[in-house]
Amino acid sequence: MVAGCDQTKIVKLKFERFIAYRILQKDRKNFSRPVVSISVIAVALGIAIMLIAVSVVTGFQETVTDKITGFTSHIRVMSYDNNRSWEIRPVSKDQSFVHELKDDEGIRHIQVYGLKAGIMKHDDQILGTILKGVGSDHRGEFMSANIIKGYIPEYYDSTTSNEIVISDYHARKLRLDTGMKVLMYFIQDPPRYRPFTIAGIYNTGMEEMDKRFVICDIRQIQKLNDWTKDQVAGFEIFLNNFDDLDKYTAKVYENTGFDLKVENTKTLHPQIMDWLNMLNTNVYIILALMLIVSAITMVSTLLILILEKTNMIGIMKAMGSKNISIRKIFLYNAAYIIGKGILWGNIFGIGLLLIQQLTGAVSLDESTYYMATAPVNINLVHILLINIGTICVCVLFMIVPSLLITRISPVNAIRFE
């Protein structure tokens, strides 16, 4: 008896799918045919636009965040001083929180730094800059990725290097190149100057940073400020995951003394962080609009299919077909349209993203957007969520128009033309 029931269900399933196939594939002269094609295109465009919007915006946020944190770190620890200038009170290199946190899995690296304001002069040109001193513990992955000429010198605790790395902005303004010498003047009592040799030229695309900073040996800053070898301006802490920023900011704060101040990227660069967060709103609006358009398109298509096949629905009811069986036929049609649209939307959207990722075909104004080409972040989780979300929304919208079948009378439907 159970086996007979299962066979009946299989026959019904095959029958419903067969009718659905005939409606979409064989009735090519019907009015619904171009409507189905338009629906597939609408769903495909909706999926493609959502994929591109999410990938570009998240890629943009990730790239800008990486550039900011790569240059200034995720968390910065310095002396608790009301002085807002670049001349800050030094702190000792030997801090207990460094030993406590350096082996933490969430922390990638901790390094010291120093800052000194100065004026760079070459021939008759001058330019105000900030010397950023780094030591032997400096990890130069970020700077190495943004070097456009020359190299990043290695600094050692035993010797003082006069090699520096300037930005492309400095090089253009002062007409400098690698291997050339430049003088740096420091306004202090007594005034001082230092000759430096340009080892490399970098360009991060972050004009705010590039205009300011010159990378040098931290021992130069210690000598200029009359600091000891154990005194630095502060510590830069790099995390493995930006999402852990608030968590580790609180953790670092708990482990530092009362005389140290803890700041993170959000507090150091609030305008940029607020700008990046505002982009999420744009993505949500695009996603909502595309989902609504896709859902409304599918509802309209299903209603047209039902209206066109009213006579067929009446005949099937007169022959004993149940409402749920007829509804399944049209829901299969809708599933086919949605599936085909999603397939082509993924091919089109991901294809364009891959082209941009490999070729950088779409360029940007680097002075405005901090990068020369539009970045993309092809994330499998985002792709799956967009596809699943589209399917769920469209299916939910399909249930209501399919209920129209239950209100169709067999007698009136057979007479319907």
Side-chain angles (χ1 to χ4, degrees):
M1 187 70 179
V2 175
C5 291
D6 291 339
Q7 289 179 358
T8 302
K9 289 180 180 179
I10 294 172
V11 171
K12 284 184 177 180
L13 184 62
K14 289 182 177 180
F15 171 74
E16 292 157 358
R17 288 181 177 176
F18 174 76
I19 298 298
Y21 173 81
R22 295 283 300 182
I23 291 173
L24 287 176
Q25 300 296 327
K26 300 301 181 181
D27 297 344
R28 297 183 181 275
K29 296 181 180 180
N30 289 350
F31 171 74
S32 62
R33 187 67 186 177
V35 175
V36 169
S37 299
I38 292 171
S39 298
V40 172
I41 293 172
V43 173
L45 286 176
I47 287 287
I49 291 171
M50 287 189 286
L51 288 174
I52 292 171
V54 171
S55 296
V56 170
V57 170
T58 55
F60 184 80
Q61 291 173 324
E62 185 179 282
T63 302
V64 173
T65 302
D66 287 345
K67 287 191 174 187
I68 295 174
T69 55
F71 209 112
T72 63
S73 76
H74 293 88
I75 302 172
R76 180 178 288 182
V77 181
M78 66 196 78
S79 63
Y80 203 92
D81 195 341
N82 291 326
N83 180 16
R84 302 302 298 177
S85 72
W86 297 104
E87 305 289 335
I88 60 177
R89 183 163 52 87
V91 298
S92 172
K93 289 174 62 175
D94 186 20
Q95 299 288 336
S96 59
F97 79 90
V98 175
H99 303 289
E100 294 170 0
L101 298 175
K102 67 178 182 180
D103 294 327
D104 193 297
E105 293 181 355
I107 294 178
R108 187 168 77 246
H109 183 58
I110 301 176
Q111 65 186 35
V112 297
Y113 74 96
L115 297 174
K116 183 73 175 178
I119 299 174
M120 193 157 51
K121 182 179 184 298
H122 180 250
D123 293 337
D124 59 343
Q125 302 293 320
I126 61 173
L127 192 64
T129 60
I130 305 296
L131 272 181
K132 179 180 180 181
V134 295
S136 58
D137 59 355
H138 176 247
R139 287 191 179 179
E141 296 94 340
F142 173 76
M143 293 303 299
S144 296
N146 291 280
I147 282 285
I148 60 175
K149 197 170 186 181
Y151 61 94
I152 300 175
E154 293 186 13
Y155 301 123
Y156 302 96
D157 295 333
S158 57
T159 59
T160 302
S161 173
N162 69 342
E163 290 187 313
I164 60 173
V165 180
I166 65 173
S167 71
D168 183 53
Y169 174 84
H170 299 139
R172 286 184 287 105
K173 288 292 183 180
L174 299 180
R175 298 189 294 273
L176 295 170
D177 203 349
T178 54
M180 297 176 66
K181 294 188 180 296
V182 64
L183 287 176
M184 185 84 76
Y185 293 86
F186 305 95
I187 302 173
Q188 59 188 83
D189 189 17
R192 296 181 179 180
Y193 72 93
R194 289 287 187 276
F196 293 104
T197 301
I198 300 171
I201 300 174
Y202 73 88
N203 180 24
T204 67
M206 301 286 292
E207 189 173 355
E208 181 183 351
M209 305 294 180
D210 292 358
K211 281 184 176 180
R212 290 181 180 177
F213 293 103
V214 172
I215 308 301
C216 74
D217 188 346
I218 194 172
R219 288 172 64 85
Q220 293 281 4
I221 294 176
Q222 290 171 335
K223 290 181 177 181
L224 287 166
N225 287 337
D226 297 323
W227 293 349
T228 67
K229 293 181 180 181
D230 294 327
Q231 289 182 313
V232 295
F235 301 85
E236 292 180 328
I237 302 175
F238 297 87
L239 305 180
N240 287 318
N241 191 341
F242 184 82
D243 295 334
D244 295 332
L245 183 64
D246 293 332
K247 169 188 171 183
Y248 276 96
T249 301
K251 189 171 184 178
V252 172
Y253 180 80
E254 292 173 359
N255 285 274
T256 54
F258 68 92
D259 58 334
L260 295 177
K261 178 170 59 175
V262 179
E263 294 182 317
N264 61 26
T265 303
K266 293 179 181 179
T267 56
L268 289 170
H269 307 281
Q271 298 89 352
I272 296 177
M273 289 296 107
D274 290 341
W275 173 44
L276 294 179
N277 290 331
M278 285 178 61
L279 295 177
N280 291 329
T281 304
N282 298 335
V283 173
Y284 296 147
I285 293 173
I286 292 173
L287 292 176
L289 289 175
M290 291 301 100
L291 285 173
I292 291 171
V293 168
S294 299
I296 291 176
T297 302
M298 289 305 307
V299 169
S300 303
T301 302
L302 190 58
L303 287 174
I304 291 172
L305 287 173
I306 292 172
L307 181 64
E308 186 181 54
K309 300 298 179 183
T310 301
N311 187 271
M312 184 196 77
I313 294 171
I315 293 174
M316 291 183 68
K317 283 192 173 184
M319 294 176 64
S321 295
K322 296 182 180 179
N323 286 323
I324 188 169
S325 180
I326 301 173
R327 284 177 64 192
K328 284 181 179 179
I329 293 172
F330 289 94
L331 288 176
Y332 282 140
N333 286 336
Y336 169 82
I337 296 169
I338 295 170
K340 191 174 181 180
I342 288 176
L343 175 63
W344 283 110
N346 279 279
I347 293 173
F348 183 64
I350 297 174
L352 288 178
L353 292 172
L354 287 173
I355 290 172
Q356 175 61 22
Q357 189 178 63
L358 296 173
T359 67
V362 179
S363 59
L364 299 174
D365 181 3
E366 194 170 21
S367 62
T368 303
Y369 296 100
Y370 306 140
M371 58 200 76
T373 60
V376 294
N377 175 30
I378 303 176
N379 188 302
L380 181 60
V381 174
H382 294 163
I383 294 173
L384 290 175
L385 289 176
I386 288 172
N387 282 273
I388 293 171
T390 302
I391 293 171
C392 292
V393 170
C394 288
V395 168
L396 287 174
F397 273 71
M398 292 300 96
I399 294 174
V400 175
S402 69
L403 292 173
L404 179 64
I405 294 171
T406 62
R407 303 179 64 85
I408 295 177
S409 168
V411 177
N412 294 331
I414 293 172
R415 296 175 180 175
F416 180 81
E417 294 183 0

